[in-house]
Amino acid sequence: MSKLTEGLTYDYLSSEAAPTREARIETCNAFGGSCNSLRTGMGTGCSKNNSRKFAQGGGCQLNLALGIVSSFQNVVVIIHGPLGCGSNNLGRAGTRKTARILKQRPTTTDTIWIQTNLDDTDVITGGIEKLRQAVLYAEQEYRPDAIIIGNSCLPGIIGDDIDTLLNELDGQIAAKVVPIHCEGFKSKYVATGYDSAYHGVLKKMVEPIQRYEKALPNELADSNEKYRHSKIVNLFNVGSTSYGDEVELSRLLTALGLEVRVLPLYSSVEEISRISEAALNISICATHDDYLLGHLKERFGTEYIIDTLPIGIKNTNQWLRVIAEFFKLEKEVEKLIAIETAQLEEALEPFKKVLKGKSVFVGGGETRIFTTGELYQSLGMRVVGLKPHNFDRFAIPMIDSIDDQEAVIDVAPGQPAEELVILSRLKPDLYVGHAQANAWITKLGIPTVPLFGQSFNYMGYSGAFELARKAARVLKNTSLSQKIVSNVALPFRPIWFESNPFDNIKEAKV
């Protein structure tokens, strides 16, 4: 278990919903300053209580939760809320189908969702009856393995008791009925949506499985030591994990003699129910996984690793070493690292010549941006700024990975106008971030590289090569961003770019 989770408790399954991240971990979503000042603020406990006088944009917990559960095989998702709450499923459907084809999953189980379409009348009379009809219809029409209900803001406000209804229906239908409480008004941290999804999955879909112990080989075994269970490991994927990432990380773990199961995204209900069979649960992102893995440890005794995100040589090496230590494979992992690192270093040399001395700004998830920034530093670039969506205890140790401790950090979910002011002053040579942000940034004339993508590989040794190749290719030819900045204007007056980008941040008083 990582030291990052020491002191945390995960035994919340007796509650209908997961606790908010405000109540559970030290989280900050409003900060402007430097690496040094953020570390100081988190150390004194004040930064986590910062807020904003004005917020331009943010995220939806329901969308994050549905991004997980709608990928499961042979399930029906019921969105209990107004019609607009299901709009993102339209864009998600194509991605889901492509991913299932790549993973050789059945293509007949495309995303199926039903909307209760709550209206003005339902706000007054309640929407429980609509939900009842939707659940019964889903069972009769599709015969799924599970029916998953995403409870949006509106039913939470009007007090629809969906858990009582689902308990009543649970014995009347064959499918597992899984409530997911995503009432976004309860927390200002959008990542709480991950906890909401896994809370429902843990309560209704995960079954205890008998584990089988094997003796360790004599040369590795202590006097009375038994091998902990098997060499099965669960590798937890997230929405930003591409198929290429899964292949690369599975390749590395298999090279150590481990049997890899990649889940929960795109898994069947039966595969999820057997999640407790593994000897070790391996996370690539604490922001997504800590609630799930912490519960599995407390409930089944399965150890887990939440250490770093395996992007770049340094972090991939660290990730592999921690896993190997658990299985007493220290000698094997050093041989693997030596071979992989030597091959990669040779392949990176041409890109280093292009990237050396260039500056980069990275925006996105907290663990991903620090590991990505560290990779570009190792290639000779300077990290001049970072923009995490939120910041918590899992990212605090990663601050030290940034060479320039005066580099700007803007903790902000959304807030593109705030970010544009910062970038207009820093003028980095390259921006690495989410696709939604890249469109804005390109209008400043800054070349961009997507932080992740379903058709690209970012993790492990092959991912480091791809990140370096993409950056070098973009910087060799910046004509696209130059043409865009010459012909497309941003919707801000010049006076906006002269303002303080952090004026809307309200610092907490200690």
Side-chain angles (χ1 to χ4, degrees):
M1 185 191 304
S2 170
K3 292 182 179 180
L4 299 175
T5 58
E6 288 181 356
L8 293 181
T9 300
Y10 296 93
D11 187 15
Y12 298 109
L13 292 188
S14 58
S15 303
E16 291 181 351
T20 65
R21 293 206 169 192
E22 289 94 323
R24 196 171 67 81
I25 59 177
E26 300 165 0
T27 305
C28 166
N29 78 336
F31 177 86
S34 66
C35 293
N36 267 329
S37 57
L38 178 58
R39 183 194 293 102
T40 301
M42 292 298 288
T44 58
C46 60
S47 293
K48 65 180 180 180
N49 297 315
N50 287 359
S51 60
R52 272 187 169 79
K53 294 180 286 185
F54 167 77
Q56 185 186 14
C60 173
Q61 293 176 34
L62 178 64
N63 284 332
L64 291 188
L66 293 183
I68 295 172
V69 298
S70 65
S71 74
F72 298 164
Q73 296 292 302
N74 196 29
V75 301
V76 174
V77 175
I78 299 175
I79 302 171
H80 188 40
L83 188 60
C85 289
S87 59
N88 270 17
N89 278 320
L90 295 170
R92 192 180 287 125
T95 303
R96 291 285 182 253
K97 187 168 185 177
T98 301
R100 289 192 180 100
I101 293 172
L102 288 172
K103 297 170 187 291
Q104 299 181 349
R105 294 288 184 174
T107 57
T108 54
T109 57
D110 290 341
T111 301
I112 299 171
W113 84 88
I114 298 171
Q115 186 87 28
T116 55
N117 193 17
L118 300 183
D119 55 25
D120 294 350
T121 302
D122 299 317
V123 172
I124 299 171
T125 62
I128 284 295
E129 190 54 38
K130 280 189 173 181
L131 180 58
R132 181 194 304 275
Q133 294 174 12
V135 172
L136 295 175
Y137 174 81
E139 168 72 7
Q140 181 178 1
E141 184 71 15
Y142 300 106
R143 301 294 180 185
D145 294 329
I147 299 172
I148 302 173
I149 290 83
N151 202 45
S152 66
C153 295
L154 179 55
I157 293 172
I158 64 177
D160 277 359
D161 187 357
I162 71 166
D163 290 276
T164 297
L165 171 65
L166 298 185
N167 289 335
E168 173 190 332
L169 295 175
D170 200 18
Q172 301 178 27
I173 57 180
K176 294 183 178 181
V177 186
V178 184
I180 307 292
H181 286 271
C182 311
E183 303 90 344
F185 61 88
K186 292 182 178 179
S187 173
K188 60 184 178 181
Y189 301 109
V190 66
T192 298
Y194 300 128
D195 303 344
S196 300
Y198 287 135
H199 187 85
V201 168
L202 285 160
K203 288 190 72 168
K204 299 293 185 178
M205 298 178 71
V206 176
E207 304 291 343
I209 299 294
Q210 177 65 43
R211 287 196 272 257
Y212 301 92
E213 292 189 348
K214 300 177 183 178
L216 276 169
N218 291 334
E219 64 271 17
L220 296 179
D222 295 326
S223 55
N224 296 316
E225 186 179 15
K226 296 284 186 179
Y227 185 44
R228 273 165 253 216
H229 309 302
S230 64
K231 285 198 173 182
I232 298 173
V233 295
N234 290 329
L235 176 63
F236 286 84
N237 57 0
V238 298
S240 57
T241 309
S242 71
Y243 178 66
D245 293 332
E246 294 178 8
V247 171
E248 168 69 355
L249 298 182
S250 297
R251 176 184 73 86
L252 296 172
L253 296 177
T254 302
L256 294 175
L258 304 177
E259 178 185 336
V260 184
R261 296 179 180 176
V262 182
L263 44 75
L265 271 68
Y266 305 100
S267 300
S268 67
V269 173
E270 190 269 339
E271 287 171 330
I272 294 171
S273 71
R274 297 169 52 222
I275 203 170
S276 63
E277 283 184 339
L280 181 67
N281 290 325
I282 302 173
S283 168
I284 60 170
C285 180
T287 301
H288 289 77
D289 298 334
D290 90 288
Y291 188 81
L292 173 62
L293 272 57
H295 264 295
L296 294 174
K297 164 65 175 176
E298 292 189 4
R299 188 175 177 187
F300 302 118
T302 310
E303 291 293 345
Y304 63 94
I305 289 173
I306 294 181
D307 192 70
T308 188
L309 204 158
I311 289 179
I313 298 175
K314 176 184 174 182
N315 289 293
T316 300
N317 291 351
Q318 177 181 331
W319 186 76
L320 285 171
R321 285 184 174 118
V322 174
I323 296 168
E325 182 181 2
F326 178 86
F327 288 102
K328 302 185 184 302
L329 297 170
E330 289 90 343
K331 292 182 180 179
E332 291 83 352
V333 79
E334 292 305 325
K335 292 179 182 178
L336 176 64
I337 288 173
I339 294 171
E340 295 285 343
T341 302
Q343 293 176 344
L344 179 57
E345 289 284 9
E346 181 180 356
L348 290 175
E349 282 305 315
F351 305 134
K352 288 182 178 179
K353 296 176 183 178
V354 178
L355 301 176
K356 186 176 180 180
K358 301 291 186 180
S359 59
V360 61
F361 188 105
V362 190
E366 58 174 350
T367 56
R368 196 173 190 114
I369 64 172
F370 281 100
T371 52
T372 301
E374 193 281 328
L375 166 64
Y376 283 124
Q377 280 182 171
S378 72
L379 299 173
M381 301 185 75
R382 294 181 297 110
V383 177
V384 295
L386 305 114
K387 179 182 173 291
H389 298 322
N390 60 273
F391 192 90
D392 55 40
R393 62 160 64 193
F394 299 108
I396 292 175
M398 296 183 178
I399 296 179
D400 293 332
S401 68
I402 303 303
D403 292 340
D404 182 4
Q405 287 294 295
E406 295 306 313
V408 174
I409 289 189
D410 177 28
V411 181
Q415 318 305 320
E418 184 174 297
E419 184 177 20
L420 289 170
V421 174
I422 298 169
L423 289 167
S424 69
R425 297 175 185 177
L426 292 176
K427 293 181 172 58
D429 295 304
L430 180 69
Y431 178 90
V432 182
H434 283 278
Q436 298 93 328
N438 290 0
W440 289 92
I441 309 308
T442 305
K443 294 178 183 179
L444 284 174
I446 300 172
T448 66
V449 169
L451 186 68
F452 65 83
Q454 287 299 322
S455 57
F456 302 129
N457 173 212
Y458 289 83
M459 299 183 192
Y461 300 105
S462 63
F465 175 84
E466 287 299 320
L467 276 167
R469 185 179 67 87
K470 284 182 176 63
R473 184 179 61 185
V474 167
L475 289 176
K476 280 182 178 179
N477 184 355
T478 62
S479 59
L480 174 63
S481 56
Q482 295 306 314
K483 287 181 179 179
I484 289 178
V485 74
S486 300
N487 294 279
V488 182
L490 286 163
F492 302 106
R493 295 179 179 178
I495 193 173
W496 173 252
F497 291 100
E498 299 173 6
S499 64
N500 181 350
F502 305 130
D503 270 347
N504 284 315
I505 295 176
K506 297 168 60 178
E507 294 188 359
K509 305 298 182 183
V510 180

